[in-house]
Amino acid sequence: MPWTIFAAISIVSMSVANLFQKIAMKEKKSDAITSALIFQFLCVAFTGAFALVKGFRVPALAILFPYTLVSSLCWAFGTVCFFMAIKRIEASEMILLTGFGAIVTIVVSSIFLQERLTPVQGIGAASILAGVSIVAFKNKFSVNQGTALALLGTSLFGIGITVDAFVLRSYDAISYTPIVFLVPGLLLLCFYPRKAIAAVGQLTHLFRLPLI
């Protein structure tokens, strides 16, 4: 299947996810870190099941360390920033701002992976900057807290994607996907252990599971 099809599926999926995440964060009591934990481990469950069906391949430690640790830190705190941002700004603004991560990916990959910027990528980057400018114009060129968090989160995602691209040069993408969700989730648990109970409670409420 052409990579463009995978890219299109990814864009649509992220757009739909943004809408549901905005709905989830509408409540005043909703917490960004708890939501990030739930998001990470739900993704582990779904992608892990898919990887097991397709044939999960255990990676060598040399492949994952220290690259996956760097990537996971970016994904973990990028996700927290993302949930904090989407609580403060509209979903449509969030979708435009998340494109900024692609520019970060292009810049970082050109420096560390020696990837060359193509004319098509240049046009795409210009389009993304135009979208960010529209949001800035709407906000009268003042960067509010939500916008700053969105740009920080998507920048961390851009760095994470670059590191993951390096890892995937020698590892299977399907097997790597649940790992790249699991490790950030575990890191968040290490930094915020008290949020684990709240995350379990929300998951129980979500799926109406009886507590034992």
Side-chain angles (χ1 to χ4, degrees):
M1 187 180 294
W3 69 267
T4 50
I5 301 296
F6 289 115
I9 294 172
S10 175
I11 292 170
V12 172
S13 299
M14 288 177 64
S15 300
V16 174
N18 281 349
L19 293 175
F20 280 102
Q21 287 159 351
K22 179 63 178 179
I23 294 171
M25 293 300 292
K26 265 188 172 182
E27 307 243 345
K28 287 185 179 180
K29 62 181 181 179
S30 51
D31 178 71
I33 297 170
T34 304
S35 298
L37 280 169
I38 293 171
F39 173 78
Q40 295 296 142
F41 286 106
L42 281 178
C43 288
V44 171
F46 290 120
T47 59
F50 183 77
L52 288 173
V53 170
K54 287 293 183 178
F56 179 79
R57 186 160 62 91
V58 179
L61 184 61
I63 294 176
L64 297 184
F65 187 82
Y67 309 108
T68 302
L69 178 60
V70 175
S71 167
S72 297
L73 284 169
C74 290
W75 285 110
F77 291 103
T79 303
V80 172
C81 289
F82 182 90
F83 277 102
M84 292 174 69
I86 207 167
K87 192 177 180 69
R88 293 167 171 80
I89 61 178
E90 297 176 5
S92 56
E93 290 182 12
M94 192 69 185
I95 292 172
L96 286 173
L97 292 172
T98 50
F100 185 75
I103 297 178
V104 175
T105 301
I106 291 171
V107 173
V108 176
S109 62
S110 66
I111 295 172
F112 294 100
L113 301 182
Q114 285 76 52
E115 294 184 357
R116 301 178 67 180
L117 179 66
T118 65
V120 174
Q121 289 173 327
I123 294 171
S127 301
I128 291 167
L129 285 175
V132 175
S133 300
I134 290 171
V135 175
F137 178 77
K138 180 180 177 182
N139 294 328
K140 299 180 180 179
F141 296 96
S142 64
V143 179
N144 57 38
Q145 191 177 36
T147 303
L149 285 167
L151 291 175
L152 175 59
T154 193
S155 298
L156 289 170
F157 288 165
I159 297 171
I161 288 171
T162 304
V163 178
D164 291 339
F166 179 78
V167 174
L168 290 174
R169 288 180 174 182
S170 55
Y171 188 45
D172 175 51
I174 294 177
S175 299
Y176 186 60
T177 303
I179 294 173
V180 86
F181 283 115
L182 176 63
V183 180
L186 294 176
L187 286 174
L188 286 176
L189 282 177
C190 291
F191 282 103
Y192 307 101
R194 295 182 181 179
K195 299 293 183 180
I197 297 175
V200 171
Q202 285 195 24
L203 279 173
T204 302
H205 177 74
L206 178 64
F207 292 104
R208 301 294 192 278
L209 297 176
L211 285 173
I212 298 176

